[in-house]
Amino acid sequence: MSESAPQNFIRALIQEDLAADKHGGKVVTRFPPEPNGYLHIGHAKSICLNFGIARDIPGAVCHLRFDDTNPLTEDTEYVSSIQEDVRWLGFEWADKLFYASDYFERIYQFAEELISQGKAYVCSLTEAQVKEYRGSITEPGRPSPDRDRPVAENLDLFRRMRAGEFKDGELVLRAKIDLGAANMKLRDPAIYRIRHTHHHRTLDKWCIYPLYDFTHCLSDSLEHITHSLCTLEFESARALYDWVLDTLDVPSRPHQFEFAKLGLNYTVLSKRNLRAMVTEGIVLGWDDPRMPTLSGLRRRGYTPSAIRSFCERIGVAKSNSTAELSLLEHCVREDLSPEVPRVLAVLEPLLVTITNYPEGKTEQLTASSFPEDVPKTGSRQLPFSRQLYIDGDDFREDPPQKYHRLAPGREVRLRHAYVIRCDEVKKDATGRVVELLCHYDPDTLQGPPADGRKIPGTIHWVSQAHALPAEVRLYERLFSVEDPTNGDFRDYLNSDSLLVRRGYVEPSVAALPSDTRYQFERLGFFWQDPIDSKPGALVFNRVVSLKDSWSKIVESQTQGQSGVQALHQERRRARDEQKSLQAALQKAKPVELDEAARRYHEAQGLPVAQAVTLSGNMALAAFFDTASAGASGDALLRGALANWVVTEVARELKEGTLKFNPKQLLSLVEMTLAEKITARAAKDVFAEMARSGEAPEAVVSRLGLEQVSDSATLQPIVDEVLAALPDKVAAYRSGNQNLLGLFMGQVMKRAQGADPKVLGQLLKKSLEG
Ligand code: ATP
Ligand code: MG
């Protein structure tokens, strides 16, 4: 694995298998989409994981396999969109493209073998009866009257099912496993069903289709997959996966591992809901730029590298969590900001006439296309003339105190051009401002006024005669609440998710390739809509605004606030709105706490929800009590501990016995609060602890997760970065403090896991010294 490759528990596990020569040194993964919809950002996580492993481990391979066993919902439209999206993300499968439907004949033979072994039977119960006979968690299942049907009769019926003698739903083939199993999946699951339906590849060859659980493990084995990575909801299916492969004589023995699904706030990710949004016309298609689909993000202007970087940062853990949409937005800003040219565009044009500028004159001003704090350089010509447009938003007739833009009698700088003063405001019959008559100061071209007067604000503009008209589409979040899946997502639609403006962009845009991304100065990142934009009828999509809440979190981290605290603070802010709304809707009912809950809540200061969870679960309570005994009066530590216990420990406990002990969890939480490791790393460490019982300290050092905070290690990196950027250092020293961010970014890139606080201090000291 290359040094910069991301670390996670799956990769660690694969390294262990490689070291133990478990699959003869082979690593084969697969990405198995069902072609029943377009891929979304959640799939990107799985793609980056599976194909990323193949990219980073020498000799490893990843297959693209269409899991096409349900002819009712699948379509070739999806088969091609999925291939396009995986390629666009930057991954390649060469000749490793497969379809589960190509294995139908072999899977059928495996089913006959199961029947011959007496381990499968044809059952005539209806779907509802099968469900009823299956029992529940508290009561075992009852045998179907067909359970002991003789082998020969089963074989005969199964062959006649294939031959089309029965109607849909009349019979199913079920594996004969264990009706008393605690795992419901093992209570004689159906493995073949009748569907007289046309299939997008096998056409009308089959009228029986194998079910997912039977198909998937066999497909994996036929392809010699070594590590079959799937999301957590398949955890209980693992027993069936293993049963099938252990019962049949299969060509290879893959293993299934589960990881957490990606959830994203303000976003809906299930294909069912995304499809509903398309068919109900809530959005304009699967590739609507507001959709979380890869085709939507692509059309909006997201770059594949931004999405890959997002997938790397969220990591891969064993417990479900919700990622922040603001992180995804941050990743695309971070990707575009150092790369893309700046241009001037006006979204709500307000005419400005410069009365002392000669009529008919045009000046071609040279303007640099990149600000000082990015590594790129370049410039373009910017025409200036007597009539300009500025943004309506940059003028106020009656400005507040600290308004630094244009107002009657006030001065402002036009970006890359002159200082102007507003002399007169012209209005139409309705009182709307339609034109500003201004004066320009010819001695201020790209420089300060000679008399030393201060010009506090700079605004953007375009020359009326030269600017290109454009439709500009401003996208916002599709949903107005953090969790639109809590209830009916239709209730939470943001009515302002698409705003259309008729504006103007500077003419240099016409000379750039049509797929260029730009920053419209002061407005955001944009590019031309790849479908609707035409020369002469330009349409721009806003990829992302400039406002960056994620950076604020990181910033406060470097300013001494703990990252965890900052993150929580940010989340609390985001939730406030939703909460006050809910509170208004339903007057909070007082919660009755029993004695134990009261003790946790009142004496120990835990939130009510945690107190109730703990008091209602003896095993959890005991675990928490033992762990918190070592937390000696530290309320912050106790709170964090309780959080881990009611979420992660509770989850592990549900699965079986715990491999780790309360003391180990306490150490993990202490390390996190002391910022020895990041909150993200803590999740990976926990996953390892839960898997193997290894001490958290040992996991941290084995995976190299420790935050580096000693100056001796970091100083040389700081020196190296500063030495490579002499111009920027000089600019910083002559007063451009904004460059600190650029330096931080460069150093962080080189020093993975570095403590940003310490880095910030070292940088400042080196820059000042
Ligand atoms: P959805 O739940 O959105 O309908 P799905 O799981 O039915 O998706 P598939 O086409 O079966 O969609 O998924 C292909 C692969 O992508 C599977 O391995 C699945 O586990 C993975 N995957 C799907 N959604 C996510 C997600 N949100 N995060 C991570 N992996 C995902
Ligand atoms: Mg699925």
Side-chain angles (χ1 to χ4, degrees):
M1 211 181 298
S2 76
E3 264 186 332
S4 62
Q7 250 314 335
N8 57 55
F9 80 97
I10 299 264
R11 284 179 181 247
L13 209 136
I14 289 179
Q15 288 303 330
E16 264 172 42
D17 285 352
L18 272 176
D21 203 29
K22 190 153 172 194
H23 299 276
K26 281 222 177 88
V27 176
V28 185
T29 57
R30 85 285 168 272
F31 172 64
E34 188 183 350
N36 63 353
Y38 281 64
L39 296 182
H40 54 60
I41 182 82
H43 294 112
K45 174 177 180 176
S46 177
I47 294 169
C48 289
L49 175 63
N50 282 294
F51 280 98
I53 286 167
R55 176 194 60 200
D56 297 334
I57 300 178
V61 184
C62 179
H63 296 185
L64 174 61
R65 182 200 312 145
F66 288 101
D67 188 4
D68 52 354
T69 54
N70 184 358
L72 286 179
T73 55
E74 294 156 7
D75 198 280
T76 46
E77 173 195 355
Y78 303 127
V79 170
S80 21
S81 77
I82 289 171
Q83 297 189 45
E84 187 186 351
D85 289 347
V86 175
R87 273 211 193 91
W88 176 73
L89 253 194
F91 297 103
E92 205 22 83
W93 51 86
D95 59 341
K96 304 297 180 198
L97 174 65
F98 302 96
Y99 294 83
S101 54
D102 287 351
Y103 310 134
F104 280 171
E105 186 60 46
R106 299 178 72 179
I107 294 171
Y108 175 86
Q109 296 304 333
F110 279 121
E112 282 210 352
E113 191 193 321
L114 266 193
I115 296 174
S116 306
Q117 287 187 31
K119 288 183 174 155
Y121 59 97
V122 174
C123 177
S124 59
L125 294 180
T126 63
E127 215 181 310
Q129 284 171 321
V130 168
K131 213 168 162 195
E132 185 209 321
Y133 275 59
R134 199 183 290 134
S136 67
I137 307 179
T138 48
E139 52 179 321
R142 277 182 290 141
S144 150
D146 302 325
R147 196 167 198 260
D148 293 318
R149 201 195 290 279
V151 169
E153 206 179 309
N154 280 320
L155 267 183
D156 175 58
L157 278 173
F158 188 49
R159 287 172 186 163
R160 286 165 55 201
M161 277 167 67
R162 175 180 183 168
E165 284 187 30
F166 304 98
K167 292 197 292 289
D168 285 11
E170 210 175 331
L171 296 172
V172 288
L173 183 70
R174 297 173 68 182
K176 189 171 177 179
I177 309 181
D178 179 4
L179 292 171
N183 182 345
M184 303 289 283
K185 279 264 178 192
L186 296 180
R187 295 190 186 177
D188 291 8
I191 56 175
Y192 256 94
R193 64 182 163 191
I194 303 174
R195 279 264 154 97
H196 290 271
T197 307
H198 188 79
H199 184 280
H200 74 109
R201 279 175 66 82
T202 57
L203 311 179
D204 296 307
K205 178 164 184 221
W206 294 90
C207 62
I208 56 172
Y209 292 95
L211 277 112
Y212 173 87
D213 286 322
F214 192 56
T215 314
H216 202 78
C217 51
L218 289 172
S219 307
D220 281 348
S221 172
L222 290 168
E223 289 177 18
H224 294 261
I225 301 295
T226 56
H227 298 80
S228 181
L229 312 177
C230 62
T231 41
L232 281 177
E233 71 272 22
F234 291 100
E235 211 162 12
S236 63
R238 194 196 322 133
L240 180 51
Y241 186 103
D242 290 338
W243 182 87
V244 172
L245 296 186
D246 289 339
T247 305
L248 288 165
D249 183 19
V250 291
S252 80
R253 182 62 168 93
H255 287 273
Q256 174 184 308
F257 303 93
E258 305 89 20
F259 65 94
K261 247 190 162 151
L262 169 70
L264 196 58
N265 64 4
Y266 298 101
T267 307
V268 155
L269 282 185
S270 94
K271 271 189 280 194
R272 194 168 47 82
N273 288 341
L274 294 178
R275 195 177 308 112
M277 279 155 54
V278 173
T279 53
E280 292 171 26
I282 293 171
V283 293
L284 302 173
W286 285 97
D287 68 347
D288 187 304
R290 293 165 294 177
M291 289 282 269
T293 50
L294 296 182
S295 51
L297 291 165
R298 173 169 63 231
R299 182 163 175 191
R300 175 139 165 190
Y302 268 71
T303 52
S305 54
I307 294 174
R308 289 196 304 265
S309 145
F310 170 73
C311 290
E312 242 169 63
R313 294 216 190 159
I314 52 170
V316 177
K318 237 185 89 176
S319 51
N320 281 322
S321 62
T322 306
E324 310 271 326
L325 187 55
S326 65
L327 176 60
L328 179 62
E329 293 170 346
H330 173 76
C331 288
V332 72
R333 271 186 210 105
E334 188 183 60
D335 199 36
L336 298 181
S337 189
E339 293 294 329
V340 306
R342 273 55 174 173
V343 302
L344 301 183
V346 164
L347 301 192
E348 292 183 61
L350 172 60
L351 184 64
V352 166
T353 300
I354 302 177
T355 51
N356 62 335
Y357 196 89
E359 248 171 269
K361 176 176 171 183
T362 300
E363 269 177 281
Q364 291 293 345
L365 308 178
T366 303
S368 82
S369 300
F370 299 92
E372 264 190 345
D373 59 354
V374 310
K376 279 212 160 172
T377 53
S379 62
R380 84 280 190 186
Q381 298 297 103
L382 200 54
F384 187 87
S385 65
R386 183 179 158 92
Q387 294 207 297
L388 317 169
Y389 288 124
I390 64 165
D391 245 317
D393 204 32
D394 284 332
F395 172 79
R396 291 270 184 96
E397 211 176 350
D398 193 10
Q401 261 288 300
K402 291 215 163 161
Y403 191 74
H404 291 324
R405 294 171 257 170
L406 202 55
R410 293 212 192 162
E411 282 188 309
V412 79
R413 167 170 296 285
L414 296 177
R415 176 78 167 143
H416 299 302
Y418 299 96
V419 170
I420 58 169
R421 176 193 305 273
C422 175
D423 303 320
E424 200 183 323
V425 181
K426 284 193 164 180
K427 299 182 183 178
D428 65 9
T430 66
R432 199 172 56 98
V433 177
V434 290
E435 186 182 357
L436 305 177
L437 300 184
C438 297
H439 228 86
Y440 88 115
D441 179 346
D443 296 330
T444 54
L445 178 60
Q446 298 178 352
D451 61 6
R453 69 185 193 279
K454 280 256 182 292
I455 311 296
T458 300
I459 64 172
H460 53 271
W461 57 278
V462 291
S463 164
Q464 187 203 28
H466 306 89
L468 309 172
E471 173 180 327
V472 182
R473 298 173 181 169
L474 304 177
Y475 300 105
E476 286 289 343
R477 302 175 166 177
L478 201 43
F479 297 98
S480 50
V481 299
E482 254 202 86
D483 183 7
T485 61
N486 181 12
D488 187 338
F489 67 84
R490 294 167 191 82
D491 295 338
Y492 306 124
L493 289 166
N494 171 12
S495 51
D496 289 334
S497 60
L498 168 59
L499 299 174
V500 178
R501 300 275 179 263
R502 309 247 156 231
Y504 292 93
V505 298
E506 61 165 87
S508 74
V509 160
L512 296 169
S514 64
D515 62 350
T516 306
R517 285 144 177 110
Y518 331 82
Q519 187 186 112
F520 288 180
E521 289 204 44
R522 301 176 65 225
L523 297 174
F525 294 95
F526 290 79
W527 86 325
Q528 289 183 45
D529 185 277
I531 294 173
D532 296 343
S533 190
K534 304 276 178 304
L538 300 176
V539 178
F540 288 89
N541 292 334
R542 181 168 72 194
V543 185
V544 68
S545 66
L546 294 177
K547 183 185 78 200
D548 191 339
S549 53
W550 187 263
S551 287
K552 280 199 207 101
I553 296 171
V554 177
E555 215 171 89
S556 56
Q557 199 170 355
T558 61
Q559 284 164 4
Q561 192 181 14
S562 122
V564 182
Q565 279 170 0
L567 189 62
H568 284 301
Q569 203 177 336
E570 182 62 25
R571 285 197 178 146
R572 264 199 301 275
R573 223 197 331 272
R575 268 179 211 145
D576 275 352
E577 231 175 295
Q578 203 183 342
K579 263 201 196 143
S580 58
L581 183 69
Q582 275 172 356
L585 287 177
Q586 63 174 97
K587 269 204 147 167
K589 266 192 240 140
V591 185
E592 290 269 337
L593 296 184
D594 64 18
E595 200 191 309
R598 217 176 5 249
R599 182 165 56 84
Y600 285 122
H601 177 54
E602 284 162 15
Q604 304 216 26
L606 300 183
V608 171
Q610 292 186 354
V612 171
T613 308
L614 284 177
S615 64
N617 183 324
M618 273 170 59
L620 276 191
F623 192 97
F624 174 76
D625 290 345
T626 317
S628 67
S632 62
D634 181 341
L636 191 66
L637 178 55
R638 210 165 40 225
L641 199 55
N643 212 355
W644 280 89
V645 172
V646 301
T647 54
E648 309 297 314
V649 178
R651 226 186 63 78
E652 292 296 328
L653 208 58
K654 245 189 256 162
E655 281 177 37
T657 51
L658 298 178
K659 294 233 174 74
F660 55 96
N661 60 45
K663 224 177 119 210
Q664 287 174 324
L665 182 70
L666 180 64
S667 323
L668 173 63
V669 179
E670 279 172 342
M671 279 194 279
T672 315
L673 287 182
E675 292 178 36
K676 285 206 182 104
I677 55 173
T678 62
R680 253 244 31 242
K683 292 240 152 152
D684 290 344
V685 176
F686 182 84
E688 280 297 282
M689 268 167 62
R691 194 174 62 85
S692 64
E694 189 177 354
E697 295 83 357
V699 179
V700 168
S701 74
R702 182 165 58 77
L703 298 182
L705 295 174
E706 199 140 358
Q707 277 210 81
V708 184
S709 58
D710 77 303
S711 342
T713 317
L714 296 177
Q715 187 66 50
I717 303 174
V718 168
D719 294 343
E720 192 186 313
V721 165
L722 295 186
L725 298 165
D727 295 356
K728 306 283 177 191
V729 172
Y732 178 90
R733 286 182 178 151
S734 60
N736 188 350
Q737 304 273 324
N738 293 339
L739 288 167
L740 193 61
L742 167 79
F743 297 130
M744 272 300 277
Q746 296 276 327
V747 181
M748 287 295 278
K749 218 184 261 175
R750 257 163 253 213
Q752 301 272 337
D755 182 338
K757 232 189 304 180
V758 177
L759 259 191
Q761 285 158 2
L762 286 181
L763 256 178
K764 277 202 183 137
K765 227 165 88 202
S766 305
L767 282 164
E768 273 147 29

